Amino acid sequence: MPPTVNRFPGQNLSTSFPHLSNQQLHQQPHLHQQHQHQHQQNVQHPGFGAGNPGHNINIFGHGQNDFRANTGLGAGIGAGGLAAGGLNAGGGTGLASHEAQMRFAHGAQLQQEAALGRIQDGTKGMNQRIREVWRSNLAQEMELIRSLVDQYPHVSMDTEFPGIVARPMGDFQNKASYHYQTVRCNVDLLKIIQLGITLFSVQGDIPPFHLDPSTLPYQPKYPQQYGNGIVLCPCTWTFNFQFSLEEDMYNEESIQMLKKTGADFDKHATQGIDPLEFGSLLITSGLTLTLDVNWISFHSGYDFAYLIKMLTCEPLPEDENAYRKLVEIFFPRLLDVKYLWRHANNLVRRGAIGSNATDILQRLGTKSGLQDLAEELGCARVGTQHTAGSDAWLTGAVFWRLKDKVFDGSIPDDMNGQMWGLTSVGPPASATAQAAVLAAQGAQTMSYQNMMNYHGNAGHRDGPSTPTSHPAGLASTPGPGQGGHGGMMTPGTTGQFGEFRYGGK
């Protein structure tokens, strides 16, 4: 069973030493005397109030936060400029010069605009909307999400995981069954690295950067905020999980691509989130187990599998139908953007869609990656490609634009619950065709690379979270058979993996 939620109290960021009382903090007489001495020797620069002692700011005194008493500088800021508050507006030097005053004013304006999310320089300001979550701020950020989900019930998501390291072998009823067993054996063996989620309202709006907690039905206790009460609210969260390159299994190429995007695996190993803790908080977050929340994904066969693993704290079910029932319980409302794209193309072939939508889909042609759809639909990326937070935000942006431009604002009900990678597969290969493939290899078992060729090169998601067709480079071998080079038995009754190799330490 998942651990209880109450073990993770939030942290008040307004004080770095919550275990010390104010009395303890101020019982330092030697520092107090030193500060008084420095106050007496405070130099009265003519630029600060023309030598008036009342206008000089003592940064060591107890009243350093009370700018109202410092009329020279404080009133100038309040009046809209430093020059009006006693700084020499003439031809002074240093801090009293006109250039220095203008730069002070410009810097203050930039700080205010950054706090309100108004910076217009490309996506630099928008990058502040993606918040990195580690073990230390997990409880605080989940509490904030819990307070927002009622007003922002659409959740776009993306995961990053260590690629594909194994393929099942055996008899499968159809390609869908083969796809699920491939997902199952890899998710059971591997660990999730990142999860990104972005919140949207029913109109497709993200939460404001300047958030008024009084407007929320549930108010977070310890939101990250400035001293003036402005709550800093992201719209996207990147959850970083425990992962060790020394102990955990992975596909070498996937890890190298994640490193290029800036993944800090040393930090993942020491400060990453425990997946079981995250699962317990996710259950009580208001994001799952409800028809009021709509999950949006892109090529989601693996995404929801990793979430189900964390939510149940168990390996995935052997039976695909049992797995689908779990998905329906935890995520009763979900849409896959890639499956929506496929459905729209089917409507084009039947002539059952508008001309504007037809033009968009024809320009895309066979291109079906997330970045391809984003560029065609005019959706700008925020953040770094192949990171979970940025991909989650872009997935949501593409969904809303696709809904508007291709589906005329209404998604068909039968699209709910369809996951690309499980349901979007072609007709099953016949037993004769499978036997021909096996015979062509000239052996009873197929190598790992050949199994990948049988499945096809699944380059659907444009990144390290995409299943790749490259041999696995594994840091170590968990469980029995460590150090061997042969295939391992698939958990359950679905056959054995293709051959893959383990890298020595």
Side-chain angles (χ1 to χ4, degrees):
M1 295 296 293
T4 58
V5 180
N6 294 332
R7 296 191 298 111
F8 314 108
Q11 298 179 359
N12 188 348
L13 299 183
S14 63
T15 172
S16 302
F17 306 97
H19 60 287
L20 296 178
S21 65
N22 292 332
Q23 184 178 3
Q24 290 174 309
L25 290 174
H26 289 293
Q27 287 178 352
Q28 303 179 36
H30 62 287
L31 293 178
H32 182 64
Q33 294 174 0
Q34 179 182 357
H35 295 169
Q36 286 182 333
H37 178 68
Q38 291 170 334
H39 175 62
Q40 292 172 358
Q41 295 182 352
N42 188 20
V43 179
Q44 299 176 357
H45 192 284
F48 290 92
N52 188 340
H55 294 167
N56 287 301
I57 300 177
N58 175 17
I59 63 173
F60 301 102
H62 292 291
Q64 66 266 34
N65 291 327
D66 189 3
F67 279 82
R68 292 172 297 179
N70 300 299
T71 56
L73 181 61
I77 295 177
L82 294 177
L87 286 176
N88 188 350
T93 60
L95 293 177
S97 68
H98 178 71
E99 181 181 2
Q101 296 173 29
M102 295 302 296
R103 291 193 178 189
F104 276 130
H106 181 62
Q109 180 182 3
L110 288 179
Q111 285 185 331
Q112 183 179 14
E113 290 181 351
L116 299 177
R118 295 173 182 168
I119 292 181
Q120 301 297 322
D121 183 13
T123 60
K124 293 182 179 179
M126 297 301 288
N127 274 331
Q128 302 179 45
R129 305 306 310 278
I130 301 177
R131 181 163 296 171
E132 297 292 327
V133 184
W134 300 87
R135 185 170 60 236
S136 59
N137 63 331
L138 172 62
Q140 173 182 295
E141 297 305 323
M142 291 300 291
E143 184 183 41
L144 178 58
I145 291 172
R146 188 180 298 115
S147 70
L148 292 168
V149 66
D150 286 343
Q151 295 184 4
Y152 301 90
H154 285 72
V155 185
S156 62
M157 61 95 80
D158 180 75
T159 62
E160 302 297 337
F161 53 90
I164 300 297
V165 301
R167 296 282 170 176
M169 293 186 65
D171 296 327
F172 305 98
Q173 295 179 351
N174 49 45
K175 281 189 176 181
S177 176
Y178 172 77
H179 277 246
Y180 173 68
Q181 295 304 332
T182 303
V183 170
R184 183 175 77 88
C185 66
N186 282 279
V187 170
D188 285 350
L189 282 172
L190 304 176
K191 292 182 178 180
I192 187 173
I193 297 176
Q194 282 185 341
L195 167 69
I197 66 171
T198 301
L199 299 185
F200 294 89
S201 68
V202 293
Q203 292 83 21
D205 299 322
I206 58 176
F209 190 43
H210 180 195
L211 180 67
D212 182 2
S214 65
T215 63
L216 302 174
Y218 169 80
Q219 297 186 17
K221 296 180 180 178
Y222 306 110
Q224 185 174 336
Q225 60 184 6
Y226 284 128
N228 58 5
I230 295 178
V231 175
L232 306 181
C233 181
C235 66
T236 300
W237 291 259
T238 301
F239 296 92
N240 299 279
F241 294 93
Q242 291 176 348
F243 192 87
S244 171
L245 295 180
E246 298 298 324
E247 300 177 0
D248 297 321
M249 193 179 294
Y250 58 85
N251 180 300
E252 178 65 30
E253 181 167 285
S254 296
I255 295 299
Q256 291 303 319
M257 188 171 292
L258 282 172
K259 286 182 177 179
K260 291 179 181 178
T261 66
D264 186 347
F265 283 101
D266 289 337
K267 193 171 183 179
H268 276 277
T270 59
Q271 302 180 37
I273 299 167
D274 182 348
L276 300 185
E277 288 188 10
F278 179 81
S280 68
L281 292 174
L282 183 60
I283 288 178
T284 59
S285 66
L287 298 174
T288 62
L289 303 167
T290 175
L291 290 168
D292 296 329
V293 174
N294 297 266
W295 284 75
I296 304 164
S297 59
F298 187 91
H299 191 185
S300 59
Y302 281 85
D303 295 334
F304 287 105
Y306 277 104
L307 291 183
I308 291 295
K309 179 182 177 181
M310 289 191 289
L311 288 166
T312 62
C313 304
E314 294 180 352
L316 297 183
E318 294 183 21
D319 180 63
E320 181 182 357
N321 291 329
Y323 168 72
R324 290 183 180 277
K325 289 180 180 178
L326 286 175
V327 174
E328 291 175 3
I329 291 172
F330 286 103
F331 308 100
R333 300 288 301 174
L334 70 87
L335 294 168
D336 190 313
V337 173
K338 192 171 181 70
Y339 196 91
L340 294 178
W341 167 85
R342 177 178 181 265
H343 177 71
N345 277 282
N346 290 336
L347 295 178
V348 170
R349 285 190 286 270
R350 300 203 308 262
I353 200 168
S355 58
N356 290 336
T358 300
D359 292 341
I360 292 173
L361 295 169
Q362 288 179 345
R363 285 195 299 268
L364 279 168
T366 59
K367 295 185 295 184
S368 61
L370 177 60
Q371 192 64 40
D372 296 325
L373 270 63
E375 291 173 359
E376 178 61 36
L377 295 170
C379 301
R381 176 183 290 276
V382 178
T384 304
Q385 190 174 4
H386 306 321
T387 58
S390 176
D391 286 354
W393 192 343
L394 191 62
T395 296
V398 168
F399 166 77
W400 292 107
R401 198 65 61 86
L402 190 72
K403 178 182 178 182
D404 180 49
K405 290 189 173 183
V406 175
F407 291 97
D408 292 328
S410 178
I411 302 295
D413 291 337
D414 58 356
M415 293 296 98
N416 180 57
Q418 307 290 350
M419 294 174 286
W420 185 279
L422 295 181
T423 50
S424 61
V425 295
S430 64
T432 303
Q434 294 187 39
V437 173
L438 290 171
Q441 308 306 319
Q444 293 295 322
T445 60
M446 302 172 66
S447 69
Y448 174 78
Q449 183 64 45
N450 288 332
M451 284 302 295
M452 295 297 293
N453 291 336
Y454 166 74
H455 178 60
N457 187 359
H460 298 300
R461 291 182 45 175
D462 308 322
S465 53
T466 303
T468 66
S469 58
H470 299 273
L474 305 176
S476 64
T477 310
Q482 188 164 358
H485 298 291
M488 294 176 61
M489 295 304 297
T490 305
T493 59
T494 56
Q496 70 176 11
F497 298 148
E499 182 182 54
F500 54 92
R501 296 181 180 273
Y502 300 94
K505 289 186 178 180

